[in-house]
């Protein structure tokens, strides 16, 4: 199909070859371009030879297409363009689901049917991972009831991939195992191996999911986990109004799936620093979602101190305006916020802000001293919470427009 050159002008995406960003950044860019043609257009666009009436018809079609492209370009410029970034499993896909609920009429019936498959696969992956890691942990964990070994063997024999069908016998075995104290102890130590965040949420609701007529609610849909992969990471996307950067706050005691020796939260800080000082995004405002606050609170209240993984927490002093310093959860979430806030206050030297655009021509990038960065404590699976937080996006865009017209 022929596409006019004017459609492609202005789109320059530079692929990132930085190994760190390519390792941990997953960037989703959704661009939908719909060009509607009159009936019979596609069959007449291939050739401009022929009689005068045919040539006139081709010219008319070309003019109509150009007009539609111009109209689309105007609509595109009106759109608010957001860049959604973050380390792996920080909640980016969940945020996209929330946008669908809030702005695109939620999940259709076919969407919910697809989520049934994802949810049941999440349950199988979670139970299989728990069982296979019980003997690997140091010290290992055993089933509390030896009679449950029958159920454990049943699940292990199925393998890591989902079964061909989810029978009631299958759900009986999973339900039995999830009630075993040994499996629960293994879950308590899940920071020592890789386990999806939604494991407990769905295993606690196994009796609902096993129903043959099960229809997932919005909450179930947003909690479902789908593993995604992207072929490339882009460093530049023209016309971005704001960057939404997601952080899995509860991952302070976890390591990367790709590199088990690297702390997830430290890697998120490192990624944020790369983006904050990225020469292509230096004038773009940022909103940081300190996500998974519900899981962070649960971990802290269970006695898992962040000081074990971040020794600097021991000497950390939170601001009196942030709440009670005796509340360990409040102090922990403020400490995590300040890890990222401190990045925004680092001054970059003049030499580091020099950028060569061609041989012999160097430009100086603006300092980021007055750049805006908003921080929010979020639970991406909570639609009400995310709806409130998105008001900051509107503020960010408004400030950008005022700055563009010299009113700020």
């Amino acid at each position: 199909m022929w596409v006019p050159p004017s459609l492609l002008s202005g789109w320059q995406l530079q692929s990132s070859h930085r190994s760190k960003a390519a390792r941990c950044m997953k960037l989703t860019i959704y661009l939908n371009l719909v060009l509607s043609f009159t009936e019979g257009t596609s069959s007449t666009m291939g050739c401009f030879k022929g009689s005068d009436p045919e040539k006139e018809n081709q010219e008319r079609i070309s003019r109509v297409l150009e007009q539609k492209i111009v109209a689309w370009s105007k609509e595109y410029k009106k759109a608010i363009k957001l860049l959604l970034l973050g380390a792996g499993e920080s909640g980016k896909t969940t945020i996209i689901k929330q946008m669908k609920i809030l702005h695109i009429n939620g999940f259709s019936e076919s969407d919910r049917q697809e989520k049934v498959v994802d949810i049941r696969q999440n349950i199988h992956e979670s139970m299989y991972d728990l069982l296979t890691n019980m003997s690997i942990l140091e010290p290992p964990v055993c089933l509390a009831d030896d009679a449950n070994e029958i159920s454990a063997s049943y699940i292990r024999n199925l393998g890591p991939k989902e079964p061909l069908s989810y029978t009631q016998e299958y759900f009986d075995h999973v339900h039995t195992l999830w009630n075993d104290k040994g499996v629960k102890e293994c879950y308590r130590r899940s920071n020592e191996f890789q386990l999806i965040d939604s494991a407990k949420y769905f295993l606690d609701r196994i009796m609902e999911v096993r129903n043959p007529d099960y229809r997932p609610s919005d909450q179930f849909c947003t909690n479902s986990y789908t593993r995604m992969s992207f072929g490339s990471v882009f460093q530049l996307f023209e016309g971005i109004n704001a960057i939404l950067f997601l952080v899995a706050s509860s991952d302070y005691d976890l390591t990367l799936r790709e590199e088990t020796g690297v702390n997830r939260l430290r890697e998120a800080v490192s990624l944020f620093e790369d983006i904050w000082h990225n020469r292509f995004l230096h004038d773009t405002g940022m909103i940081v979602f300190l996500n998974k606050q519900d899981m962070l609170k649960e971990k802290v209240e269970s006695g898992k101190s962040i000081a074990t993984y971040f020794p600097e927490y021991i000497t950390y002093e939170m601001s009196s305006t942030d709440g009670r310093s005796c509340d360990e959860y409040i102090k922990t979430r403020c400490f995590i916020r300040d890890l990222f806030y401190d990045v925004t206050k680092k001054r970059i030297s003049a030499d580091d802000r020099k950028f060569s655009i061609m041989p012999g021509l160097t430009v100086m990038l603006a300092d980021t001293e007055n750049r805006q960065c908003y921080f929010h404590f979020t639970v991406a699976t909570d639609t009400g919470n995310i709806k409130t937080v998105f008001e900051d996006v509107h503020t960010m865009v408004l400030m950008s427009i005022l700055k563009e017209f010299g009113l700020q």
Side-chain angles (χ1 to χ4, degrees):
M1 172 181 145
W2 173 79
V3 178
S6 58
L7 176 61
L8 302 177
S9 63
W11 291 94
Q12 297 177 348
L13 300 180
Q14 179 171 337
S15 180
S16 168
H17 298 288
R18 301 181 62 161
S19 59
K20 181 189 294 182
R23 181 175 69 247
C24 63
M25 191 195 317
K26 295 179 180 178
L27 167 63
T28 309
I29 300 176
Y30 291 93
L31 176 60
N32 295 313
L33 172 59
V34 180
L35 298 176
S36 32
F37 296 88
T38 57
E39 186 175 358
T41 295
S42 59
S43 63
T44 60
M45 289 187 62
C47 180
F48 281 86
K49 295 180 181 180
S51 64
D52 288 342
E54 290 180 351
K55 184 177 180 179
E56 291 175 0
N57 184 49
Q58 292 290 349
E59 291 175 347
R60 181 187 62 80
I61 292 171
S62 181
R63 286 194 300 271
V64 171
L65 180 57
E66 289 287 351
Q67 290 171 359
K68 290 185 177 182
I69 291 170
V70 170
W72 173 84
S73 297
K74 289 180 179 178
E75 289 302 314
Y76 174 78
K77 290 177 181 178
K78 293 179 184 178
I80 296 175
K81 293 173 281 294
L82 306 175
L83 200 56
L84 184 60
L85 302 176
E89 301 180 52
S90 56
K92 298 183 295 299
T93 305
T94 305
I95 288 294
I96 293 172
K97 293 175 185 175
Q98 294 288 16
M99 288 180 175
K100 188 169 186 176
I101 292 173
L102 294 170
H103 303 292
I104 320 179
N105 300 323
F107 298 100
S108 66
E109 195 59 38
S110 61
D111 290 334
R112 295 182 193 278
Q113 289 301 318
E114 290 177 3
K115 291 303 175 187
V116 171
V117 177
D118 290 339
I119 289 168
R120 288 174 174 169
Q121 186 174 358
N122 288 169
I123 287 175
H124 181 72
E125 178 183 343
S126 300
M127 183 52 69
Y128 182 84
D129 286 345
L130 285 166
L131 293 174
T132 54
N133 279 283
M134 290 178 72
S135 60
I136 299 174
L137 294 174
E138 292 292 343
V141 178
C142 299
L143 292 170
D145 187 345
D146 292 339
N148 291 338
E149 181 57 39
I150 296 175
S151 294
S153 297
Y154 178 91
I155 299 298
R156 284 195 293 261
N157 289 337
L158 289 173
K161 294 184 179 180
E162 60 179 320
L164 296 176
S165 62
Y166 290 94
T167 63
Q168 292 304 306
E169 179 188 10
Y170 171 86
F171 288 117
D172 284 340
H173 287 304
V174 173
H175 182 256
T176 297
L177 291 168
W178 185 234
N179 286 318
D180 187 278
K181 292 182 179 179
V183 174
K184 288 289 180 64
E185 172 61 17
C186 183
Y187 172 78
R188 190 187 67 80
R189 295 173 57 185
S190 59
N191 66 300
E192 299 176 37
F193 58 96
Q194 304 296 335
L195 185 69
I196 61 174
D197 290 335
S198 56
K200 185 177 187 299
Y201 182 88
F202 290 126
L203 287 169
D204 281 346
R205 294 161 176 79
I206 188 72
M207 300 306 289
E208 182 176 350
V209 177
R210 71 182 297 169
N211 190 323
D213 299 323
Y214 170 62
R215 180 181 182 275
S217 63
D218 285 350
Q219 191 71 9
F220 272 81
C221 290
T222 54
N223 272 281
S224 65
Y225 177 70
T226 306
R227 207 177 301 283
M228 302 176 70
S229 61
F230 301 89
S232 60
V233 178
F234 296 105
Q235 233 180 359
L236 174 62
F237 187 63
E238 185 181 9
I240 292 298
N241 295 102
I243 295 173
L244 307 184
F245 187 85
L246 269 74
V247 179
S249 300
S250 60
D251 284 1
Y252 64 84
D253 61 340
L254 300 177
T255 59
L256 296 177
R257 286 184 181 271
E258 301 84 359
E259 296 184 52
T260 55
V262 180
N263 181 277
R264 287 194 188 185
L265 184 55
R266 288 196 185 277
E267 186 71 354
V269 174
S270 179
L271 173 59
F272 177 77
E273 187 166 8
D274 284 347
I275 295 170
W276 181 260
H277 296 304
N278 188 298
R279 61 172 62 98
F280 299 110
L281 302 170
H282 72 281
D283 59 350
T284 304
M286 292 187 71
I287 302 173
V288 179
F289 286 8
L290 298 165
N291 198 29
K292 302 188 179 181
Q293 289 297 311
D294 52 339
M295 300 180 68
L296 174 65
K297 190 172 189 292
E298 182 181 334
K299 276 189 178 180
V300 172
E301 292 180 349
S302 71
K304 291 183 178 179
S305 174
I306 195 172
T308 305
Y309 310 91
F310 290 78
E312 58 267 39
Y313 176 76
I314 297 174
T315 58
Y316 171 73
E317 294 184 7
M318 60 182 284
S319 170
S320 58
T321 59
D322 286 327
R324 298 177 300 151
S325 59
C326 58
D327 188 322
E328 197 64 19
Y329 160 64
I330 297 295
K331 183 178 179 181
T332 300
R333 78 174 193 174
C334 289
F335 170 77
I336 294 173
R337 177 203 60 197
D338 289 348
L339 289 175
F340 295 88
Y341 177 77
D342 290 345
V343 170
T344 68
K345 294 307 173 185
K346 288 183 180 178
R347 299 295 300 273
I348 304 300
S349 66
D351 288 339
D352 289 336
R353 287 190 284 115
K354 289 180 180 179
F355 172 44
S356 177
I357 58 177
M358 65 176 62
L361 181 58
T362 301
V363 297
M364 181 74 72
L365 296 178
D367 198 351
T368 58
E369 182 178 6
N370 297 319
R371 186 178 178 188
Q372 296 294 322
C373 187
Y374 296 81
F375 293 86
H376 280 285
F377 302 110
T378 63
V379 179
T381 55
D382 184 339
T383 304
N385 174 250
I386 296 303
K387 182 178 180 181
T388 301
V389 169
F390 275 158
E391 293 178 0
D392 245 5
V393 176
H394 299 158
T395 301
M396 178 76 73
V397 173
L398 176 61
M399 298 296 284
S400 176
I401 294 172
L402 292 175
K403 183 178 179 181
E404 182 177 345
F405 285 92
L407 300 177
Q408 184 188 25

